[in-house]
Amino acid sequence: MAQAAIELIGINKSFGAVRANRDINLEVARGTIHGIVGENGAGKSTLMSILYGFYQADSGEIRVGGKPVSIHTSNDAIALGIGMVHQHFMLVDNFTVLENVILGAESDALLKSSITKARSELDRLEREYGLEVDPDAVIEELPVGLQQRVEILKALYRGAEILILDEPTGVLTPAEADHLFRILKQLKDQGKTIVLITHKLREIMAITDTVSVMRQGTMVATRTTKETTVGELAELMVGRRVLLRVEKGQSEAGAVKLSVKNLTVKDQRGVTMVDNVSFDVRGGEIVGIAGVAGNGQSELLEAISGIRHAVSGEVMLDGKPIDLTGKADPGELRDRGLAHVPEDRHHVGLVLAFEENENSILGYHDDERYLKGPFLDVDAIMADAKDKIEKYDIRPANPRLKTANFSGGNQQKIVLAREMEQDPGVLIVGQPTRGVDVGAIEFIHKRLIAMRDQGKAVLVVSVELDEIRSLSDRILVMFAGRVVGERGPDATEGELGLLMAGVEHQEAAE
Amino acid sequence: MDMFNAIVQVLDSTIRLSVPLLLACLAGLYSERAGIFDIGLEGKMLVGAFAGASAAAVFHSALIGLGTAILISVAFALVHGFASITHRGNQIVSGVAINFIAAGSTIILGQAWFQQGGRTPALQPGERFEAIIWPGAEAIRDVPIIGPIYAELISGHSILVYFAFAMVPFTWWVLFRTRFGLRMRAVGENPAAVDTAGISVAWLRYRALICTGILTGVAGAYLSMVQNGGFVKDMTAGKGYIALAALIFAKWKPVNAMFACLLFGFLDAASIRLQGSPLPLVGKVPAQFMQALPYVLTVILLAGFIGKAIPPRAGGVPYVKER
Ligand SMILES: Nc1ncnc2c1ncn2[C@@H]1O[C@H](COP(=O)(O)OP(=O)(O)O)[C@@H](O)[C@H]1O
Ligand SMILES: [Mg+2]
């Protein structure tokens, strides 16, 4: 066994109440490519940012080259030969490539000599690794692929021996990704150590020597890449949870209520997040969208609910189109019977500083029921809030309490009560039970099924496979922005897991 | 010829009036380029003016006055830094608080120390900065055109005036030719990039604020020890805000800042000159209109009629790593 380049021992890190890393142990051998996989929010970036000195661990030990070290700032990490390409690039957008490269690595107080030195050094690195980029180009005018190159050049310019790349291929085209992997192999051949974070299992299989799997802040396993399979990694990554099946009858699907055709959505950086997606949701059925987080589900939901601009395609609600320019009037969509429970209840679904009763009518506050002339009818709102609190068993049963003081599960019930009690024809729900305690999960699932039984069309997006399987009448699997498969509710976890990992249909059948 | 002399005189007072604006504007440029909005330029100038005039009067030395002005002004800049960098407070609130403290404390201390209704004692020669007469200025004064320009515009200003104008190329050089400038510009755009490059964001921003404090100190000293022979309450009279307007107008660039301040100084000089006398075509222009012009121009600029003013991207936002 080769000598360890990095050892992380018992690393813990919390952000407020979130425990991003719990007792993490990790050993990376010198001169290897080590993959770290895990869903979004598993704590991968946090762990590597601790190694890079960007965050401070609450407890734990770091050893580099066998020696215990203390890394308080990124400067310490750089001095130890650690370089990192962050998930969100750390570049100054209106600086040139050259300026970004020398920032923090200037040779003296005046820039002149640093610039001359960096120019020739960049020239050498470019030739050696095929990392071509115009040193005088301004960052914001470069495509993301080239911006990433600048990040790699920054690390190499500082003499990095250990290079961490955080989800580097998320922003790359397949050809660019291949080029990147060639560079990484070349760096490895020169004895450098590489840590590659990704949630794309295919890449892990293609390029890494060893792979570690993280889930919900813990390190669940480390495997030699040759001795593992995509299936095993997918299972480790998604994790099995106690099956929580809610009783439900046969669905009686009716007319198409929501229809999505050839929908394509790009994010701010111009990366295609939803790629030509089409499907229908009928009244009386629950359609579940499964997938590893970050494969376009969020963007799909936002486009359908009129929040995000779609590049092309159409979405029909009861046969009439929805404005996809991202400027749709949410009030109008509500009037047309589309209710939306957003994924992020803290920032989109609720105003945490408001009282419960205020949140329970938010967005419907101009409905006649809640108005008395031009004013809000406080009595009606309170009566309505109390009614919802009772029906949805929201605790504590106090409509005057500030929403921030409710637990996650109760907050989610406030949003669900608001949207469901408006009797919408179509309900779309993002992550119905994220951060919700087990008791509330069952309640929420029952409510969703009750909606279905009333003949409503329900679209559920969730990263919890169990949830998708127990709720859905039809399951669509999203991978890399596309719907890669449709299955019935009896699909096995393994089958769905492989689809979620992007493994082709045929392979999945084997 | 009368007309020519009048113009030279207006330009001469343009220079005098734009110097405090220019110093304050460059002061603001350092902090805002580093990502710290500083609405407290006004207050720092005011305490600088007060401290300078007081120390000069007590110790009978212009230099001690200037040094004290800078020291006190830097201290106030550090308070702003403590609130907005170390404690990640709201930069606008902190700046406004500094302006209030400055306005109140200068009057109270002035009255307590000198009992002259908030004024400081009138400065004697040697306690203020005198005009420097350049060689040959008197000799060629009567030469047409060049004479008045040399004698009035170029010669005959105090050292602080030359300092202010020298700060323009110097600031440009610092920003674009030194390591400190590169890092300062970077921290105003993306502090995380600076942090991950292994540089302390807080220390960098503190240093930028110290530069701000030095320059507002000099601006204050100019007001009370050059333009005026002592401190008068509220003598900054909104110059700190006009300097901020000039900074936006200059799109946070040093050379532009000089032209913006000269323009605003010129408007001021012209309004004094024109007081009461009608202009051809437009007739009598109220002085208030001229005084409002800098703000009107800035609003027009912000509305996007004269190009686009893009502030440093991280400006006004405390650097928070962990939510
Ligand atoms: N700067 C931060 N402040 C607060 N919480 C954070 C911060 N960075 C990450 N988190 C939280 O820590 C958890 C792990 O995040 P992260 O390390 O980014 O996961 P990954 O990279 O595996 O997607 C998430 O719940 C995330 O919300
Ligand atoms: Mg991450």
Side-chain angles (χ1 to χ4, degrees), chain A residues 15-16 18-21 38-47 55 87 166-167 197 214, chain B residues 320-323:
Chain A
F15 294 109
V18 179
R19 290 193 66 188
N21 286 164
E39 291 193 272
N40 272 354
K44 309 177 296 288
S45 298
T46 304
L47 184 67
Y55 297 133
Q87 190 169 5
D166 193 352
E167 310 234 358
I197 301 179
M214 287 187 75
Chain B
V320 183
K321 273 206 265 193
E322 305 185 13
R323 276 167 268 141

Side-chain angles (χ1 to χ4, degrees), chain A residues 168-182 200 202-203 271 275 480 482:
Chain A
T169 54
V171 297
L172 299 184
T173 63
E176 285 174 323
D178 284 345
H179 184 102
L180 174 69
F181 288 161
R182 277 200 301 279
K200 300 183 184 171
R202 219 179 251 291
E203 297 173 353
V271 179
D275 191 358
R482 290 203 306 275

Side-chain angles (χ1 to χ4, degrees), chain A residues 53-322:
Chain A
F54 188 69
Y55 297 133
Q56 294 283 299
D58 300 333
S59 65
E61 192 185 324
I62 301 175
R63 292 189 194 158
V64 175
K67 281 193 289 293
V69 294
S70 62
I71 299 179
H72 294 294
T73 66
S74 299
N75 209 13
D76 297 336
I78 294 167
L80 289 163
I82 301 172
M84 179 161 176
V85 175
H86 294 263
Q87 190 169 5
H88 307 286
F89 298 155
M90 298 293 184
L91 295 169
V92 182
D93 286 343
N94 57 0
F95 274 23
T96 63
V97 171
L98 208 56
E99 286 174 317
N100 269 289
V101 168
I102 58 179
L103 180 68
E106 307 90 343
S107 34
D108 59 70
L110 301 185
L111 292 181
K112 204 164 174 173
S113 61
S114 315
I115 289 180
T116 327
K117 186 178 149 218
R119 218 178 261 287
S120 63
E121 181 69 9
L122 281 185
D123 201 46
R124 186 183 71 76
L125 290 170
E126 271 177 23
R127 267 183 289 114
E128 200 168 327
Y129 300 105
L131 284 164
E132 281 112 29
V133 47
D134 173 12
D136 296 309
V138 176
I139 296 295
E140 58 199 350
E141 283 157 15
L142 291 177
V144 275
L146 286 184
Q147 294 187 5
Q148 180 177 72
R149 258 184 218 185
V150 178
E151 285 281 36
I152 297 174
L153 284 169
K154 261 170 73 178
L156 295 178
Y157 183 74
R158 285 160 171 74
E161 283 301 313
I162 299 163
L163 185 64
I164 306 162
L165 296 112
D166 193 352
E167 310 234 358
T169 54
V171 297
L172 299 184
T173 63
E176 285 174 323
D178 284 345
H179 184 102
L180 174 69
F181 288 161
R182 277 200 301 279
I183 293 167
L184 295 185
K185 280 196 176 125
Q186 199 180 340
L187 288 168
K188 174 185 144 180
D189 291 341
Q190 293 180 353
K192 297 199 195 301
T193 309
I194 288 160
V195 180
L196 178 71
I197 301 179
T198 178
H199 54 240
K200 300 183 184 171
L201 297 175
R202 219 179 251 291
E203 297 173 353
I204 289 289
M205 299 312 283
I207 181 168
T208 63
D209 300 303
T210 37
V211 51
S212 297
V213 186
M214 287 187 75
R215 186 169 74 225
Q216 291 171 8
T218 58
M219 190 62 85
V220 288
T222 296
R223 298 275 185 275
T224 304
T225 308
K226 282 203 212 81
E227 291 162 13
T228 187
T229 61
V230 167
E232 185 193 22
L233 291 177
E235 202 178 297
L236 285 166
M237 202 164 121
V238 177
R240 284 184 208 273
R241 278 178 58 178
V242 210
L243 274 191
L244 236 172
R245 287 240 171 207
V246 186
E247 300 269 311
K248 67 170 191 225
Q250 198 60 38
S251 81
E252 284 163 38
V256 172
K257 293 213 162 216
L258 180 74
S259 163
V260 175
K261 271 200 200 72
N262 306 104
L263 189 69
T264 297
V265 181
K266 294 191 175 178
D267 72 1
Q268 294 87 329
R269 296 192 272 193
V271 179
T272 303
M273 296 306 289
V274 178
D275 191 358
N276 200 16
V277 165
S278 304
F279 62 87
D280 288 338
V281 187
R282 295 172 178 273
E285 70 170 353
I286 297 181
V287 173
I289 297 189
V292 176
N295 276 292
Q297 303 97 312
S298 306
E299 289 77 10
L300 176 68
L301 273 190
E302 286 172 8
I304 295 177
S305 51
I307 305 172
R308 188 181 273 272
H309 167 77
V311 183
S312 60
E314 59 178 12
V315 178
M316 308 288 259
L317 178 62
D318 290 321
K320 285 196 264 338
I322 286 180

Side-chain angles (χ1 to χ4, degrees), chain B residues 56-63 121-130 225:
Chain B
V58 171
F59 298 105
H60 308 295
S61 154
L63 273 182
L123 295 178
Q124 306 305 316
E127 296 171 0
R128 5 183 341 188
F129 288 98
E130 305 295 342
M225 297 167 62

Side-chain angles (χ1 to χ4, degrees), chain A residues 20-67:
Chain A
N21 286 164
R22 320 173 187 220
D23 268 322
I24 303 274
N25 293 313
L26 174 71
E27 199 176 311
V28 177
R30 184 178 300 283
T32 62
I33 300 183
H34 190 108
I36 298 184
V37 289
E39 291 193 272
N40 272 354
K44 309 177 296 288
S45 298
T46 304
L47 184 67
M48 286 303 122
S49 298
I50 288 172
L51 177 59
Y52 188 63
F54 188 69
Y55 297 133
Q56 294 283 299
D58 300 333
S59 65
E61 192 185 324
I62 301 175
R63 292 189 194 158
V64 175
K67 281 193 289 293

